[in-house]
Each structure stands twice: as structure tokens, then as C-alpha cells.
Amino acid sequence: MNPSLFSPEGLAGIIFLILIGVTILGAIIATCTKRLIRSVTGLAVCFVGVAGLYYFLNSPFVAMMELLIYVGAVCVTIAFAIMLAEPDEARLARKISGLSGGLAAICGGAIAFALGYAAVNGTWMAAPAARANDGSLKMIGESLLTRYSMVFELISIVLLVAIIGSMALARGGRREE
Amino acid sequence: MLTLSSQLNTYLIMGAVLFGFGIFGLLRRPSLIGMLIAVELVLSGASINFMAFNRFLAPDPTVGQIITLFIMAIAAAEAAISLSIVIAVYRNYKSIEVEDLVELKG
């Protein structure tokens, strides 16, 4: 069955196609540009598309978190690191030879093709007849504080260690004059 | 074409494509920050797979979302740690290209 172009389903389908295009375009910009700051911008564009895909997967909360954490925090942090440690653009441009780029493309393409082939031709288990809940934000909060509370606490310890460790690492080489 | 958003395969192929782009960038980039960007692409490909199986096949539809949230937390921690390593390396070597970092003993 094919919904008409101007029904709500058809418009949602068009938006979905646009989101797929945005994601792939962002991934191309993130991997193929020469300047790193452009590739961070491409990464942000790609994550906006991925957040849209999450929205289509019935989880607006995860989509919002994707925007908040990846676009808002990770990309900005990478941009700051680029400002602090700018690589030599001319040397980088010379170093990317055509052969290594081609080999990398073959490798990545082969892995993507194999994964896609396995995904399409594999037999997954049947969809469940009844869901345990509706997967809403309320249910996520309840699971986080009951069934996954231990993992939740562990992840906060990991984040704490990451904060302290990154400060210690970045400060390490600084000499007292 | 317009019903693609309700098929499991679409999301799985998107995840595979992002994973492939990540591996491509990881092999192609000569600098550490570029490789970090490619790793983020790989992680988001894995997250899309988790979310797709969560939406279509999981009996409990909160599991995949929680795993994706944990992947985001791990990715944020990984980005912070690796960027501070990059800055420490830059301070010692004045370069963040992988080909310049061949000494094991600093």
C-alpha cells in the first residue's frame, strides 16, 4: 500500500526521506572534507538527522537527548579541541594520498555492505504479540530507577572518573614556571 | 518509498551505512581529532541498531532506549577523555597527526 503524497502518512514519509538524506550528507561531510572544523559541522548535521530517525522510532526523549548531548556537548567540545590543537592543514592535505583513500573507501564500503546484507537477509525473531509497556518517558524513568538502577549509578561513577581524569590528563604537561 | 519509516530494514541499513562511513573516516583521517569524529559515527550507527530493534522486536520497549542513553553517556566520557589526551599529545609533540606519534617512550 502506498499513501498519497499529501496525506499525513505521505508527508511523514517525505520528512523521513529528508532525514535520511540529512544523515548521509552529514556523514559524507564529516568524513570527506579536508578542514577539521567543517567535519565537526558535518558531524552535527549527521546527528540532527539521527535524532530525527529516533523520533520516527517512537522515542522523542532519546531524540532530544541526542540533540542535547551530541550536537550540544560533544560537537562543541571537539570544536574547542580543534581551536586548541589546530593541525597543519597544508601538510594534512598533502598526506591524504589517493590510494589510501581508495582503500579506506573499499574497506568501509565492504563492511557497510556486509552488515546491510546480513540485516536484510537475516531472519529476526517475530515481533512480540504484546508489549510490556508503551516505552514512554514515564516508563523509562521507572526502569532507570528500579531495574537498571545499578547501571545508572555505575554510569554516573564512570562520568565522574572521566571528568576528573580528563582534567588531570589535560593539566599533566603544564610545567610550573 | 513513503512507507520506509515503518520498516526495520531501513533503520538497519542506515546503521550499517553510518558504521561504514565511520570505518572509512577512521582509516582515512591522518589526525587524531578526525579519527575521534569517525568513532562518533560508528557509535551512532550502533545506537540506531539498538533503537530499531527496540521499536520493532523488543517485548519491553524501554530497554533499547536505556541502552542508547548509556551509549551516549559512554560516548561523551570517551570524547572528553580522548580530547584531553589529544591536547596532552599536542603539548608534547606540537602535532596531532598519527604518523608523528611513532615513539613509544615519550
Side-chain angles (χ1 to χ4, degrees):
Chain A
M1 60 158 208
N2 224 347
S4 87
L5 203 57
F6 294 105
S7 64
E9 293 82 17
L11 287 177
I14 293 172
I15 293 173
F16 186 74
L17 290 180
I18 292 174
L19 284 173
I20 286 184
V22 164
T23 310
I24 293 180
L25 182 77
I28 292 173
I29 296 174
T31 48
C32 294
T33 50
K34 286 210 173 68
R35 302 198 53 171
L36 275 180
I37 196 77
R38 286 181 195 158
S39 113
V40 174
T41 317
L43 190 72
V45 170
C46 175
F47 284 148
V48 170
V50 171
L53 293 190
Y54 288 166
Y55 196 85
F56 270 89
L57 286 169
N58 277 351
S59 33
F61 175 65
V62 182
M64 197 194 76
M65 278 299 156
E66 173 92 12
L67 286 179
L68 205 67
I69 295 176
Y70 276 115
V71 184
V74 172
C75 286
V76 173
T77 318
I78 297 177
F80 269 110
I82 292 174
M83 283 189 243
L84 287 174
E86 177 89 43
D88 188 354
E89 303 285 351
R91 260 183 86 199
L92 287 188
R94 207 185 58 237
K95 270 192 181 168
I96 302 174
S97 68
L99 182 64
S100 70
L103 282 179
I106 291 171
C107 248
I111 288 174
F113 178 76
L115 284 175
Y117 185 82
V120 171
N121 291 322
T123 49
W124 309 110
M125 63 182 201
R131 295 299 185 91
N133 52 58
D134 55 353
S136 63
L137 181 52
K138 186 164 176 269
M139 289 300 153
I140 297 175
E142 277 189 22
S143 315
L144 269 180
L145 291 182
T146 54
R147 201 169 151 198
Y148 301 100
S149 55
M150 186 68 194
V151 195
F152 190 65
E153 296 301 327
L154 280 179
I155 213 93
S156 57
I157 292 177
V158 167
L159 284 175
L160 180 69
V161 171
I163 293 169
I164 297 173
S166 61
M167 282 195 289
L169 271 174
R171 203 179 175 283
R174 195 175 287 173
R175 304 274 189 287
E176 298 272 335
E177 294 296 331
Chain B
M1 281 296 276
L2 293 181
T3 54
L4 277 181
S5 65
S6 55
Q7 290 169 17
L8 175 62
N9 283 343
T10 317
Y11 298 97
L12 295 184
I13 289 175
M14 275 309 292
V17 166
L18 279 188
F19 193 92
F21 268 114
I23 297 290
F24 168 61
L26 201 59
L27 293 175
R28 183 178 170 278
R29 285 283 179 193
S31 70
L32 291 177
I33 295 182
M35 292 171 79
L36 177 68
I37 291 172
V39 168
E40 298 290 338
L41 282 179
V42 170
L43 281 172
S44 76
S47 304
I48 287 182
N49 265 16
F50 273 112
M51 291 295 287
F53 285 123
N54 175 60
R55 160 78 174 78
F56 291 102
L57 299 180
D60 181 357
T62 60
V63 181
Q65 302 188 41
I66 288 171
I67 289 180
T68 308
L69 289 176
F70 287 153
I71 291 178
M72 282 179 193
I74 296 288
E78 170 249 342
I81 290 278
S82 52
L83 286 175
S84 57
I85 292 176
V86 164
I87 287 174
V89 163
Y90 183 77
R91 193 177 289 143
N92 288 325
Y93 287 84
K94 293 286 171 272
S95 161
I96 54 164
E97 292 164 41
V98 279
E99 289 188 4
D100 293 337
L101 312 176
V102 289
E103 297 172 40
L104 279 180
K105 261 168 79 176

